[in-house]
Amino acid sequence: MIAVTRPRILVVGAGFAGVGCVRRLERELAPDEAEITLVTPSSYQLYLPLLPQVASGVLTPQSIALSLRRSRRYRTRIIPGGAIGVDLAAKVCVVRTITDRVVNEPYDHIVLAPGSVTRTFDIPGLTDHAYGMKTLAEGAYLRDHVISQLDLADASQDPAERAARLQFVVVGGGYAGTETAACLQMLTHNAVKRYPRLDPRLIKWHLIDIAPRLMPELGEKLGRDAQEILRRRGVEISLGVSIAKAGPDEVTFTDGRVVPTHTLIWTAGVAASPLIGTLGAETVRGRLAVTAEMSLPGHDGVFALGDAAAVPDVAKDEEGAVCPPTAQHAMRQGKVVADNVIASLRGRPLRRYVHKDLGLVVDLGGFDAVSKPLGVELKGPPAVLVARGYHWSALRTNVAKARVATNWLLNALAGDDFVRTGFQARRPAKLKDFEFIHAYLTPEQLKEQVSGADGKTSD
């Protein structure tokens, strides 16, 4: 008798794109039609747009970490680790598990949604002294760090040290940087009331960006409104400026200013996962070049989407336009890719990804926000309602929705206790500690690994 094996579908990444794809595959495919495997270091999906609210203590970390095992249809096999190389010819993905074991995972169809990493530049001291804002661990750690600066400043007898600990620098005027600066500034503004020995005027937040204005995607008016809100709160905004070098207790700006600080937060954009570089395929500004169906030309059964793929934006009347790396696109691309994987299994034609932009929302904490739903410009409480309503509705599970709504209500009624959870008890964790950009294989290492010289094939 000849054993009939099910096609193996391998999904890399558990972000918006990867989880959206897996969930649709589980719904639409019968169990005997395919075997679904997901590669991810953590068995949860992080709702990244709300991470600044975790850093500021408005939300608990668990409320935006959506378990992948709650679904009643759950049948996906999860490999706890990260993909560090893909051999397209051999149809093998090399995975480093969380125990540092390297395994070869064969596939028939692969969906590449590894997401992105923090984009850094060759700035002296940057990765050694800057904090990132990309993972749940970074958000929770950053909250502890900011509160610890208040504690240390309050205990210090040195005026210079006290002033340095109460200055904070955020680099990046996009959504992540602006929301991070806004939410953490509100945290320190509220917390300092519990420190009677500290002068609130010593707390200074700096938001800098090399671009000429904040969040240009919002348009000139809303971008200017966001700037005005932050400046009214005391945030010093410097545009056309970046970092020249970073040290353990000071940061030098490119305009020559030296700011004494123990807190440098780097949110100046993202770059596609280094996994894409192991494929040896064509890229567009580091993102994998794919068709409008999100398939890789010349390679059957290979799909890519999300931050790591340059998906053509066919809704725009602009040659060469690609979809921006946003959660809105990633969620919708995941569903289309799942449909296309199923279509390829069943011998049906693939469909293009076409999506109309629903708008942008930026939550600045408290009663401040700027939003542009369907092109309508809003600010203040109406924008807050739109921003939080959009995020709440986009949460994948009812449990997460209940937790987030409860956190918002409790914070509005009772405020924050400004408690450190203990992360500061361990060694400092900076960008280089959270971004595992050196874990990926070189072409030579990938070839050696897949050929069987090292490691074993996963069972």
Side-chain angles (χ1 to χ4, degrees), residues 61-73:
Q62 188 181 12
S63 63
I64 66 167
L66 286 64
S67 172
L68 300 179
R69 300 184 185 274
R70 290 195 68 93
S71 170
R72 293 181 179 179
R73 296 184 179 89

Side-chain angles (χ1 to χ4, degrees), residues 112-352:
L112 296 169
S116 56
V117 296
T118 300
R119 181 181 61 186
T120 58
F121 301 98
D122 190 18
I123 298 172
L126 177 62
T127 58
D128 291 323
H129 302 295
Y131 297 92
M133 193 63 171
K134 195 77 171 62
T135 67
L136 190 61
E138 284 176 311
Y141 186 93
L142 192 56
R143 170 179 165 79
D144 266 18
H145 170 79
V146 169
I147 295 176
S148 73
Q149 297 312 296
L150 298 178
D151 289 342
L152 292 167
D154 184 58
S156 177
Q157 301 298 324
D158 181 355
E161 180 192 359
R162 186 181 301 117
R165 292 198 180 280
L166 296 179
Q167 289 211 75
F168 306 88
V169 178
V170 179
V171 183
Y175 304 112
T178 302
E179 289 187 330
T180 297
C183 290
L184 288 177
Q185 183 277 333
M186 184 163 283
L187 169 67
T188 56
H189 173 76
N190 293 330
V192 76
K193 299 171 186 176
R194 314 290 178 88
Y195 295 81
R197 294 179 65 251
L198 292 180
D199 184 351
R201 292 172 297 181
L202 288 177
I203 297 180
K204 296 180 180 178
W205 280 88
H206 302 264
L207 176 60
I208 71 172
D209 193 275
I210 198 66
R213 65 185 186 189
L214 295 183
M215 301 176 291
E217 298 88 347
L218 278 175
E220 187 174 349
K221 182 181 182 299
L222 285 183
R224 191 169 59 248
D225 290 339
Q227 275 187 238
E228 182 56 36
I229 290 169
L230 294 180
R231 283 185 170 141
R232 192 172 65 242
R233 291 191 195 169
V235 178
E236 184 175 321
I237 300 172
S238 301
L239 299 175
V241 177
S242 189
I243 296 295
K245 62 179 179 179
D249 53 14
E250 68 177 27
V251 172
T252 303
F253 292 178
T254 52
D255 62 4
R257 282 181 291 164
V258 178
V259 176
T261 181
H262 293 264
T263 309
L264 170 61
I265 305 170
W266 182 266
T267 62
V270 296
S273 167
L275 177 67
I276 299 304
T278 71
L279 274 67
E282 182 185 352
T283 59
V284 177
R285 296 182 180 178
R287 301 167 72 185
L288 193 63
V290 296
T291 66
E293 294 79 16
M294 291 171 284
S295 62
L296 184 63
H299 297 276
D300 290 338
V302 179
F303 299 86
L305 66 163
D307 291 7
V311 179
D313 193 345
V314 297
K316 285 187 177 177
D317 237 355
E318 182 183 335
E319 187 177 353
V322 298
C323 297
T326 64
Q328 184 181 147
H329 280 287
M331 284 190 287
R332 289 154 180 79
Q333 287 171 2
K335 296 176 182 178
V336 176
V337 159
D339 290 342
N340 284 344
V341 170
I342 295 169
S344 65
L345 285 173
R346 297 173 178 172
R348 297 174 182 170
L350 310 185
R351 68 184 179 98
R352 301 190 306 169

Side-chain angles (χ1 to χ4, degrees), residues 301-417:
V302 179
F303 299 86
L305 66 163
D307 291 7
V311 179
D313 193 345
V314 297
K316 285 187 177 177
D317 237 355
E318 182 183 335
E319 187 177 353
V322 298
C323 297
T326 64
Q328 184 181 147
H329 280 287
M331 284 190 287
R332 289 154 180 79
Q333 287 171 2
K335 296 176 182 178
V336 176
V337 159
D339 290 342
N340 284 344
V341 170
I342 295 169
S344 65
L345 285 173
R346 297 173 178 172
R348 297 174 182 170
L350 310 185
R351 68 184 179 98
R352 301 190 306 169
Y353 172 70
V354 183
H355 171 62
K356 182 179 179 181
D357 191 5
L358 298 180
L360 304 165
V361 295
V362 181
D363 193 333
L364 300 174
F367 294 103
D368 291 322
V370 289
S371 302
K372 197 175 181 179
L374 301 175
V376 180
E377 296 186 345
L378 301 172
K379 67 176 181 177
V384 173
L385 288 174
V386 169
R388 296 200 172 185
Y390 172 79
H391 289 314
W392 187 84
S393 64
L395 290 166
R396 187 172 46 80
T397 68
N398 290 330
V399 171
K401 290 179 179 180
R403 283 185 177 136
V404 166
T406 302
N407 284 175
W408 279 338
L409 179 61
L410 186 61
N411 184 265
L413 295 176
D416 198 336
D417 288 327

Side-chain angles (χ1 to χ4, degrees), residues 102-118:
V102 177
V103 298
N104 295 343
E105 186 66 29
Y107 63 83
D108 297 303
H109 294 77
I110 188 169
V111 176
L112 296 169
S116 56
V117 296
T118 300

